[in-house]
Amino acid sequence: PTSSATMNRAPLKRSRILHMALMGSSDPSGEAEASKEKPFLLRALQITLVVSLYWVTSISMVFLNKYLLDSPSLQLDTPIFVTFYQCLVTTLLCKSLSILAACCPGAMDFPPLRLDLRVARSVLPLSVVFIGMITFNNLCLKYVGVAFYNVGRSLTTVFNVLLSYLLLKQTTSFYALLTCGVIIGGFWLGVDQEGAEGTLSWTGTLFGVLASLCVSLNAIYTKKVLPAVDGSIWRLTFYNNVNACVLFLPLLLLLGELQSLRNFSQLGSGHFWGMMTLGGLFGFAIGYVTGLQIKFTSPLTHNVSGTAKACAQTVLAVLYYEETKSFLWWTSNMMVLGGSSAYTWVRGWEMKKIQEEPSPKEDEKSSMGV
């Protein structure tokens, strides 16, 4: 236990951090621990339950956020406040669970949380990216339909490849670039088809592209900042959301959302605050179930599950909102989802190949007879 804690605290080299974040690799010791031998049926049942929990939580959160951000029955035009409130709920939940874990040590496992301003300052660069990610995600969802939401935010993989080249000078294989080409093609076809149907929002699409960039940057900064919180994801979640709550306050004043909220007709409605709090609970839960899915499967399987979930979410949205979509519109979705799945598969195959092949130095030594 002592050695693993030391490993968590040891600062990682910047290049290694960026490589891990952009290329999707993870700590092999963690994966080995996660894949301990268990009875096949028990492991299959656990994986099924965890994946189902991830799907239900993620899809429910998207539909609930769409309701809060763009429902004709609510008519609430305060996307920053909705995002701020969800961060506030997450902060309070983290602190509550920390207190509960301290009071009942055997009942649950949650790290002690105490606000340290030095740590908060260390986490601040990530918090700025985090704010951009969740804000642009919600703004994209406000302006585009749930059915187009996945296509609008589909360029994260492309930004991963681009940033890995710009920041690491890391070249990408031809096959991986080909899958990125399919994703970009699907994105443009989707934009074209939304325009043809008269439902395209350029504002929403721009927010989707910015959200994709922030998701990619968030992965980089998360890896960089983790040592400051002793490698604890929950501590990072707490500090991230505390910083976000503070940084959102001037935005609420500058954008006049507090005035809009004061004039909101359902401000005293229990139903409204119940839905808002439920949105915050889902926001907190998605971080937990994502980690759970990665733990019980692998980062690559998590990506495949996320792609399949996006497909199911799109179909559900079209059915729920009773929309009629053209063949080319569906083709754009299949291109984006297919390209994302293919990229995941290619990256997995390449990483496996690198692990199996001996390094060039070893080959040189053996050929020289050393």
Side-chain angles (χ1 to χ4, degrees):
T2 312
S3 61
S4 65
T6 311
M7 279 173 66
N8 272 342
R9 289 186 180 89
L12 294 167
K13 284 185 181 176
R14 182 171 175 270
S15 60
R16 183 164 167 255
I17 290 165
L18 293 176
H19 180 78
M20 287 167 69
L22 290 164
M23 307 315 286
S25 57
S26 56
D27 182 7
S29 60
E31 286 186 16
E33 190 181 335
S35 58
K36 284 179 181 175
E37 287 301 317
K38 289 180 183 175
F40 173 76
L41 281 174
L42 175 63
R43 183 154 176 75
L45 183 63
Q46 282 180 328
I47 289 171
T48 304
L49 287 171
V50 167
V51 171
S52 301
L53 187 63
Y54 169 76
W55 278 42
V56 169
T57 306
S58 182
I59 292 173
S60 300
M61 186 176 75
V62 170
F63 276 90
L64 180 57
N65 277 348
K66 181 63 178 174
Y67 168 76
L68 290 169
L69 293 161
D70 191 39
S71 169
S73 60
L74 272 185
Q75 293 183 333
L76 177 67
D77 189 23
T78 56
I80 303 297
F81 175 74
V82 170
T83 314
F84 160 78
Y85 187 81
Q86 290 175 350
C87 290
L88 183 63
V89 169
T90 299
T91 304
L92 294 174
L93 275 170
C94 283
K95 190 61 183 173
S96 302
L97 288 172
S98 173
I99 294 167
L100 197 63
C103 295
C104 318
M108 63 182 299
D109 182 28
F110 203 88
L113 298 176
R114 186 180 59 83
L115 190 61
D116 185 330
L117 292 178
R118 284 178 302 173
V119 177
R121 203 160 47 243
S122 301
V123 176
L124 194 58
L126 170 65
S127 300
V128 173
V129 175
F130 172 73
I131 283 173
M133 181 180 76
I134 57 176
T135 304
F136 291 138
N137 261 332
N138 278 352
L139 285 170
C140 174
L141 188 57
K142 176 178 172 59
Y143 288 103
V144 306
V146 176
F148 184 67
Y149 181 57
N150 287 304
V151 173
R153 296 166 54 258
S154 62
L155 298 180
T156 301
T157 301
V158 178
F159 281 120
N160 281 348
V161 170
L162 191 62
L163 290 174
S164 68
Y165 178 74
L166 293 174
L167 300 175
L168 289 174
K169 303 302 175 196
Q170 179 97 31
T171 54
T172 306
S173 70
F174 171 74
Y175 291 114
L177 286 174
L178 202 61
T179 62
C180 288
V182 173
I183 294 169
I184 293 169
F187 172 79
W188 279 115
L189 181 60
V191 169
D192 176 70
Q193 289 304 299
E194 282 286 303
E197 293 182 7
T199 53
L200 176 66
S201 165
W202 280 110
T203 307
T205 305
L206 176 63
F207 284 136
V209 172
L210 291 171
S212 300
L213 175 61
C214 288
V215 168
S216 191
L217 288 170
N218 189 67
I220 298 168
Y221 281 98
T222 297
K223 293 284 184 183
K224 283 184 73 174
V225 167
L226 267 173
V229 288
D230 299 330
S232 169
I233 291 293
W234 286 124
R235 278 201 185 99
L236 186 61
T237 301
F238 174 70
Y239 278 104
N240 234 350
N241 283 277
V242 167
N243 283 346
C245 286
V246 173
L247 293 171
F248 270 132
L249 289 173
L251 279 175
L252 288 170
L253 287 167
L254 285 169
L255 296 171
E257 288 203 3
L258 290 178
Q259 183 63 39
S260 301
L261 200 65
R262 202 177 292 120
N263 299 329
F264 179 53
S265 60
Q266 297 185 47
L267 192 61
S269 162
H271 170 76
F272 167 68
W273 288 109
M275 290 291 103
M276 287 282 285
T277 305
L278 189 60
L281 287 170
F282 276 127
F284 174 83
I286 194 66
Y288 177 72
V289 295
T290 298
L292 208 61
Q293 180 166 252
I294 292 170
K295 179 184 174 184
F296 279 92
T297 58
S298 71
L300 291 175
T301 309
H302 166 67
N303 287 341
V304 173
S305 173
T307 304
K309 187 272 310 180
C311 184
Q313 183 176 291
T314 301
V315 173
L316 280 171
V318 170
L319 293 172
Y320 180 77
Y321 294 107
E322 298 178 346
E323 297 171 340
T324 306
K325 299 296 182 183
S326 67
F327 174 75
L328 284 176
W329 187 93
W330 285 107
T331 303
S332 73
N333 273 265
M334 290 305 106
M335 283 174 72
V336 163
L337 297 170
S340 301
S341 296
Y343 178 83
T344 300
W345 183 84
V346 167
R347 286 297 311 150
W349 176 72
E350 286 174 355
M351 283 193 284
K352 191 178 177 185
K353 199 176 173 185
I354 290 166
Q355 286 168 3
E356 287 174 355
E357 285 181 358
S359 65
K361 288 182 179 177
E362 286 174 3
D363 287 344
E364 285 171 21
K365 285 179 182 177
S366 60
S367 62
M368 291 169 69
V370 176

